């Protein structure tokens, strides 16, 4: 079985990092097909970059989805998530969606620690759209950049742990998500310094993908996530135009 | 003064229809610059088409926004709205946003009549994101297509009026928005058959644009809609890449 | 065309101040008919004063509404707003209602800076009744009194700017409304000191009135804001009794 | 001890009816002082009438409150309730407020059966302002008028019972309030025909008043319901002007 | 008439304290039947203890309810409340339920001061389930233990007063509930030091019980709180098994 | 690794049915330890039965949890869920919790089809407590009993399919959960007759348990689900008393 891992930003190093972190989690017989966005911003840290990434994500699916058994939309904030769920015949899991649902089983209220201050309001909106707004304690945007982590991992860990402890105490969070592809694999090193569970968003998403693989739900033929009606288009990648024309 | 009218689908006839309906509303000294999406679906009636349209809308702004004084995002459902508000230094008004805010001053609860059944859940989500979910009585998706309107306008009017009356009585709507570029100008003909105010979304958006033109607010230099940090990109239209790199 | 400007408190100087600020905004052919409440508190800074002002506002409409084309209820907090919308055959715009709807197009979350600490809970309730409670960042009640502004305008501006900056940073407000007739015209002087848009409530209300004038909606003949059934009364001003008896 | 019973409409017969129904409930040593609104509509069945009644209610308190130990605002919809709570030094209980809080202890979700179709949206707003919007199953506005009840009581009972049963089954209401002064005393006759508890709003309010009398809470000296700051006024009844000037 | 007072923890001293505090409130002809939980934790300060207490409370009713006219579930947090309302043919009042509804008539927003930090999230959930989540300003868990109160009552009063003042100012609470059987009778001594009303939860619950006694509502024969269908069981107290088998 | 499967009702046949359905899902090296409630109702179809089951569930954990790696609370409605999450050092998954979170990834709005009409309001409350109330389309309580299924499986399947289709169309549900231990394994047979995904609650819970096993989160040492403070008790099973005394 094959999982299409879509990194909808355009930085291949981030895709590679996730592939590295996820490899040990793959059961026998399950392979990853990692794909980086063909166009868009290097990193997604604004509404504009996220809007572009929604398009890039569905193009990636149109281009590479054939023969895959599930889609893992691997950008914390999940640009294009509902469009993919509508368009794909296979299960689609978003990294932020899966992380928040996982956090909701571990605590009454959870927080997100991530990088990029513009993500504060964007993630509040995203979590509210999941219906979990009332269970979100806070979004702390103090994470180091990938470059900073590489340069001085110990300081990065200390900084992240401090942010987790802060939101646990100040906001009453019973669990904290380390959100973002760039933080892949750090939760395990942060956990010893924090009193409440620390969740790695990359791994939480992967667990949800594997669970969905084990029980692929029927594609609905009615309702919100049924295939959309065929529609002509112009100016799109050939694969995307084809899928819109004959979903 | 110049208003950039962005139709983010790729059907130029719809852009032309709106231009025709809006022309009489333009005060002296105000011009429209109508732009059709460069890429994307012919009509926007799915989440996938809307995701692409969000990208098309900000590219249209990057390409044509220079020298304009306001942006009118003229697709009912407002794909890319918040990204445009973030990116543009001039006021940005969405057609659905403006229509819902206008309806909210005319009734405790309002409904939307529009075409395309997939818009039902999509508009419920959109109105909820405005904070007005509790004031939305219903979304009725029974509108005729543009082709049908052209072929038999009287039947179309009768059909729309029936939908408006239905939601007024059944759902307690005190006002009804005829939502969608394709319904531009029909509200005046539907109104005589309906007991509550019928709002033309294309005209309601235009009134909000003109109000904003009269009092252009300062571009925030902090907060959600401040310009985003510069970011490199790949594979984008030159104008859009430039605006992301030097917002 | 004529706009009935109702100041529902009983201080004629406030009515005159608004008239002065609004005069430059009036298009050719549009006149203001400013009216001060016939009875009630000098200023409205309590629930009791607001309850009386609701009655005064509808009496003012009954007395002076004939021949007018729109009503501008010009007290931030909008006492009697829904009763006026029900009773009047012409558009009715409330100052707080219009300001909040305008702010909602400029920021995800907005704050209100106004005078009179009792307005804190009263405005929270008002904004919640609009459905926009989730988008209200805070109500800061630190504004100077009209007398203080007159005595030392520069200090007043500094004080207001400080309150705006405080709520922008502390509460994450992306726009701030300077709420209240007494603050008419100050937003332009406060704006240079604040990073997010500062909205003058008196001018925002006026823009909404002008937009409504341009497109006077049909009076509903059913639903919440249809004319109420005729009812006898006792002890009321003759004009108000007449309008209740034959709406 | 003395209870000021304020009927804020101007129909003395309704005041008298409530007095008759409440007399048997009065413990020894507790007297009613029934007061009818000095001005306003005969019945309150519109927002306009309710706005006037808010003023009438606080004037009634200003005129007759001296020497009383509690205020019973006895109009279902409670015009002027929060203003009275602010202004009075003694407990103030609203008829709809008390009925809804009582219903909330008897069922997960409750309905209101009352007269006057305009009360539908008005009561939805009122119950939402209590915070109990999520527990309101429905407002059924099918009650007979007082005149109809007098003419043919048996038909009225049958009609009310039918409305109660309808909302219990259709809307899942676990309790039903018969709301309104005009329905005083009918719940006992309706109850045998209905499977869920039927609550008389007039009696439920009285029970809350008696409970408050038994334990008169301290008047807050800070917060929302503390006395407002003194304020001058014009055109008001002398007693009301006095209480505003020296609360 | 007889009130079954259920203390669902297993500390008889707490039952006795409540009996002492409530005795002066009993009208002539009304007696208390105080019962302590047969099994469970000494104090209820965790979800586990509360889950057990829900069972203990309904067993207490099954064992002692015969011949009683109302049930007073006297643990702040009301374990088993809805099950008792379903199972009993007589009115059931919960201490926290009644206190919150009483507080809601005295302030727009109220706080709870109680002991045991785990009650913070538990009470937030409880108040939300009442529908009053939006009116809860805060839960302050700083109360002294019963033992501490006994040892040094004056310090305890000072500590509680400080918590009440803190939440009034910091959180804008217009009333404060002293929640918990262990704090019975202290509100009167705390009140003089606090600017907003201080409510004794034990007494507030009792007032609601007395109000219900005066007007015992019909047991619903349909809906949520109708008797459940008969069901066999195993391993339960004989009285509880009997009531489940023949409700 | 070992999963403690708690069936908190007292019908061993239901436990056995779940064991049978789940066996094929168990990966190599993972065993089930199925436990039936020691006391309580035969089936859980009332609030009273659910209250008792909360106690039975935590006793089952105290008695059998030693040596297990995860707890599966396998009653749709999850009695005692939060108490178990607090008390256990290993992951705890509730059947309804896991099913609702799974449904939330497959549809914007989902419904529950289950048996026992009293579960309607109980599940509405449960889903609201998860924060997903806004995504619950409906609870349909039309399921056949286990006995009926055994007697005539084809009719049962037809009945369930009809309920699923009804709620998909009437309520706009994009996915339907077949909720309840008694319906274990039927979803696969119902799915072919329904246009939207049909989710087996027993299997959905199991998938969540397996996902948790793969990544056992650290037990929090602070916050809501940290171990509670030690507390003495009386009248409890020895194992439960011990765990409360030394959590």
């Amino acid at each position: 079985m094959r999982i299409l891992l879509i990194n909808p930003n355009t930085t291949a190093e981030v895709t590679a990092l996730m592939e590295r972190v996820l490899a040990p989690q793959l059961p026998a017989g399950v392979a990853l097909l990692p794909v980086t966005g063909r166009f868009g911003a290097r990193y997604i840290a604004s509404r504009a970059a996220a809007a572009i990434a929604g398009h890039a994500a569905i193009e990636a699916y149109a281009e590479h989805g054939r023969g895959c058994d599930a889609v893992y939309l691997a950008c914390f904030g999940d640009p294009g998530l509902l469009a993919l769920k509508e368009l794909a015949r296979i299960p689609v899991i978003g990294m932020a969606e899966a992380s928040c649902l996982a956090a909701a089983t571990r605590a009454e209220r959870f927080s997100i620690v991530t990088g990029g201050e513009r993500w504060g309001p964007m993630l509040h909106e995203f979590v509210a759209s999941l219906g979990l707004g009332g269970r979100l304690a806070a979004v702390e945007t103090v994470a180091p950049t990938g470059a900073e982590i590489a340069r001085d991992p110990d300081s990065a860990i200390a900084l992240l742990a401090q942010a987790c402890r802060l939101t646990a105490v100040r906001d009453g969070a019973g669990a904290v998500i380390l959100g973002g592809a760039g933080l892949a694999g750090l939760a395990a090193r942060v956990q010893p310094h924090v009193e409440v569970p620390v969740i790695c968003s990359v791994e939480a998403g992967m667990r949800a993908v594997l669970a969905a693989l084990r029980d692929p739900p029927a594609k609905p033929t009615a309702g919100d996530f049924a295939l959309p009606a065929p529609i002509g288009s112009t100016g799109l990648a050939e694969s995307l135009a084809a899928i819109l024309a004959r979903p």
Side-chain angles (χ1 to χ4, degrees), chain A:
Chain A
M1 291 202 292
R2 195 152 48 157
I3 297 165
L4 178 64
L5 174 80
I6 300 177
N7 170 17
N9 75 25
T10 54
T11 300
E13 289 76 8
V14 170
T15 318
L17 166 64
M18 287 195 285
E19 199 180 359
R20 241 177 7 251
V21 169
L22 292 174
Q25 282 194 35
L26 291 178
V30 176
L32 269 192
L33 175 58
V35 176
T36 306
R38 187 180 61 84
F39 54 82
R42 291 290 175 211
Y43 297 99
I44 300 176
S46 69
R47 294 175 195 278
I52 297 164
H55 178 191
I58 61 176
E59 189 191 286
Y61 168 74
E63 201 72 27
H64 304 284
R66 189 180 307 262
C68 291
D69 301 285
V71 178
Y72 182 5
L73 178 61
C75 165
F76 201 85
D78 301 0
L81 179 67
L82 299 187
L84 277 169
K85 293 197 181 215
E86 177 190 67
L87 214 53
R89 294 168 184 275
I90 54 179
V92 175
I93 300 289
M95 185 193 281
E97 173 198 39
S99 301
C100 291
L101 293 174
T105 69
R106 300 200 184 158
E108 286 293 273
R109 300 173 76 239
F110 61 91
S111 285
I112 296 167
V113 167
T114 191
E117 69 167 330
R118 206 54 68 91
W119 277 112
M122 290 164 73
L123 286 172
H124 271 284
E125 290 158 35
F126 177 80
V127 178
S129 80
L130 290 179
L132 296 176
R135 299 185 65 181
L136 179 62
V139 179
E140 271 295 298
T141 52
V142 298
T145 64
E148 288 165 356
I149 296 171
R151 211 169 30 242
D152 185 354
D154 289 346
S155 300
I157 296 302
L159 186 64
L160 290 166
Q162 185 182 30
C164 291
R165 286 193 306 263
L166 173 67
T167 191
V169 169
R170 182 195 59 194
D171 307 314
V176 183
I177 300 167
L178 286 192
L183 303 181
L186 298 184
R189 296 175 59 193
V190 171
Q191 179 70 75
H193 309 290
V194 180
E195 291 181 310
V196 299
V198 178
I199 296 167
C200 172
S201 65
V202 178
E203 298 175 2
M206 195 60 182
R207 276 191 296 278
V209 172
L210 293 175
L213 264 191
R214 228 166 290 127
D215 175 59
K219 175 70 180 179
T221 58
D224 286 24
F225 292 150
L227 294 174
I231 183 85
S233 66
T234 187
L236 299 180
E238 208 172 304
S239 58
L240 182 52
I243 214 172
L244 291 178
R246 290 175 307 279

